[in-house]
Amino acid sequence: MKLLCDLSLSELCDFLKRYNQPAFRAKQIFSHIVAGRELDEMSNIPKDLIKRLKDDDVRALGLKVEESFTSAIDGTVKYLYTLTDGNIIEGVLMRYKYGNTLCVSTQVGCAMGCRFCASTLGGLVRNLTAGEILSQVIVANALNTGKDRRGVTNVVLMGSGEPLDNYDNVTKFLNLLSLEEGLNISRRNVSLSTCGLCEKIRRLADEGYTPVLTVSLHAPFDDMRKRIMPVANRYTVSEVIAAAKYYFEKTGRRVIFEYSMIESENDDEKSAEELCRLLKGFSCHVNLIHLNYVKERGLKGADNSAIDKFRKILDNNGISCTVRRSMGSDIEGACGQLRRSYIENKRNK
Ligand code: SAH
């Protein structure tokens, strides 16, 4: 199968030369794809060309929306997408005053094994291609664009999967996302969240990519981090912070550290103080996150008073910090949960 959404406009031009098509045809098809149309919906394209493409197993987009759920509380939408091979992935659209942020998946499943996370429970199934990641944005954008309605303005690579474990497809996606003739989403409006694969963080900066880097730290001590994140066996906390500092120096973009608060695990004062010591003098930001309860995991989120105490210690030490607002709590919590419950329900039917 060939996905046209994997291609830039010039690559699409080259591809369509095999079908003896002029450049203007590539432009037409490209703008249909950006608008979220499949081959059959491209009304101004000759029918015989569409037929030849379909006979050659070519498709425009990498997925379709299987189901969507809208939060009655804050309008957050969760999408379940079906990929062309039948795999299911999920994404979330969050509405803010300044625009709409779409959280996208970069892999089906995940190999990282974090103990609190639902996405990694079944291991890694496969990487998504650049076009499959892009299709999530294209489709959500098309569904949310209209008169007086803005489509997707910001993208966070924070859904299922470890983006830097799928480096080539993810960087190609970053290139496609910001194309002027494409979705034209500003590079400034993209964030990438990683569990901290240090060489890849450095490579991203060296190769001139500049998404806001979000590092899932979750623990200031190596032994504690190893208990909750297997990736800590590969990189120490200080190596992760050194890579984040390198990223900041190269790109000038302030790094964000994520810290999900787990009761009796990482929510004590000693951890807060050590985190301050580690980050002192580094112009970064810390996001404290309420742990989403994942039934298979059994870990409990820290309570509000522990989170508040933790935040105050960071504040008092001059570390910029916010407690992340939780959105869409009525439509399934952490990424990876919706996909799991969908697959389980289907199996039980
Ligand atoms: N693999 C990347 C991106 C996907 S996870 C990463 O590790 O950053 C996105 C964020 O959600 C990470 O910070 C992750 O640690 C966090 N997360 C995963 N499961 C969670 C849960 N149950 N509760 C709170 N945060 C969770």
Side-chain angles (χ1 to χ4, degrees):
M1 169 157 328
K2 174 93 184 161
L3 297 180
L4 298 183
C5 56
D6 272 319
L7 308 176
S8 67
L9 179 54
S10 62
E11 289 167 339
L12 183 63
C13 271
D14 282 347
F15 177 75
L16 289 174
K17 278 185 192 145
R18 291 186 218 167
Y19 295 82
N20 298 319
Q21 297 299 314
F24 83 86
R25 187 73 73 213
K27 271 194 183 151
Q28 287 176 321
I29 292 182
F30 194 81
S31 53
H32 282 303
I33 298 170
V34 174
R37 295 185 199 110
E38 243 325 317
L39 291 173
D40 283 328
E41 301 163 308
M42 299 182 179
S43 54
N44 59 351
I45 307 299
K47 289 281 174 294
D48 62 320
L49 173 61
I50 300 283
K51 182 170 181 316
R52 281 169 67 207
L53 289 168
K54 284 170 67 177
D55 288 347
D56 291 347
D57 208 15
V58 173
R59 293 206 200 171
L61 298 165
L63 44 78
K64 63 180 179 37
V65 171
E66 187 68 42
E67 282 184 45
S68 65
F69 307 85
T70 303
S71 161
I73 302 171
D74 53 30
T76 298
V77 191
K78 272 239 172 188
Y79 294 107
L80 271 177
Y81 302 102
T82 310
L83 301 170
T84 52
D85 64 359
N87 269 304
I88 302 277
I89 54 168
E90 63 187 87
V92 198
L93 184 90
M94 291 156 287
R95 300 179 195 283
Y96 297 99
K97 279 200 199 79
Y98 57 78
N100 296 323
T101 297
L102 186 73
C103 174
V104 297
S105 295
T106 54
Q107 297 178 315
V108 182
C110 181
M112 296 298 124
C114 298
R115 251 186 62 213
F116 42 82
C117 179
S119 298
T120 195
L121 282 164
L124 175 67
V125 179
R126 70 169 176 85
N127 283 331
L128 296 182
T129 70
E132 286 174 323
I133 307 172
L134 186 71
S135 294
Q136 299 168 54
V137 189
I138 289 175
V139 169
N141 183 61
L143 288 171
N144 289 280
T145 307
K147 230 175 115 227
D148 306 325
R149 289 202 313 159
R150 303 166 78 184
V152 176
T153 54
N154 297 62
V155 173
V156 295
L157 286 80
M158 221 180 250
S160 293
E162 168 49 48
L164 297 184
D165 188 35
N166 183 15
Y167 188 90
D168 293 343
N169 289 314
V170 162
T171 46
K172 176 151 199 210
F173 160 73
L174 294 175
N175 292 333
L176 292 173
L177 187 67
S178 60
L179 289 178
E180 222 168 285
E181 65 275 21
L183 281 171
N184 196 12
I185 292 183
S186 156
R187 285 170 185 261
R188 300 210 66 80
N189 294 354
V190 181
S191 301
L192 182 150
S193 180
T194 176
C195 63
L197 304 183
C198 295
E199 321 65 7
K200 300 285 176 53
I201 292 176
R202 289 169 189 267
R203 183 171 163 201
L204 204 59
D206 288 341
E207 293 181 352
Y209 292 99
T210 57
V212 173
L213 183 73
T214 300
V215 178
S216 301
L217 194 63
H218 303 317
F221 299 107
D222 286 320
D223 53 347
M224 181 188 279
R225 196 161 190 261
K226 282 180 194 166
R227 280 202 298 276
I228 52 179
M229 300 175 75
V231 70
N233 292 300
R234 281 157 68 187
Y235 308 99
T236 62
V237 168
S238 59
E239 283 169 339
V240 172
I241 292 174
K245 285 185 174 164
Y246 182 86
Y247 190 86
F248 174 67
E249 278 153 24
K250 276 259 164 170
T251 63
R253 303 210 74 175
R254 197 165 71 140
V255 173
I256 298 173
F257 290 99
E258 308 252 62
Y259 197 104
S260 295
M261 301 282 294
I262 311 170
E263 188 179 89
S264 311
E265 192 73 56
N266 64 359
D267 63 340
D268 58 314
E269 288 172 33
K270 238 179 93 196
S271 298
E273 279 154 12
E274 178 64 7
L275 187 60
C276 293
R277 199 186 64 75
L278 290 169
L279 300 182
K280 198 135 227 150
F282 180 28
S283 160
C284 61
H285 183 80
V286 176
N287 248 330
L288 298 178
I289 304 169
H290 287 274
L291 188 82
N292 265 304
Y293 182 73
V294 176
K295 71 174 189 302
E296 294 89 338
R297 293 307 204 180
L299 292 174
K300 259 191 86 186
D303 62 26
N304 283 334
S305 70
I307 297 179
D308 208 42
K309 216 186 233 173
F310 203 97
R311 185 186 57 76
K312 282 197 180 120
I313 295 174
L314 267 65
D315 265 354
N316 291 341
N317 282 277
I319 310 281
S320 158
C321 164
T322 40
V323 179
R324 168 127 33 93
R325 200 150 55 102
S326 160
M327 297 181 81
S329 50
D330 55 334
I331 48 165
E332 292 272 2
C335 268
Q337 278 179 277
L338 188 61
R339 165 175 176 265
R340 278 189 76 75
S341 58
Y342 178 81
I343 294 172
E344 269 170 26
N345 286 343
K346 260 202 145 168
R347 212 179 277 144
N348 296 338
K349 261 182 199 160

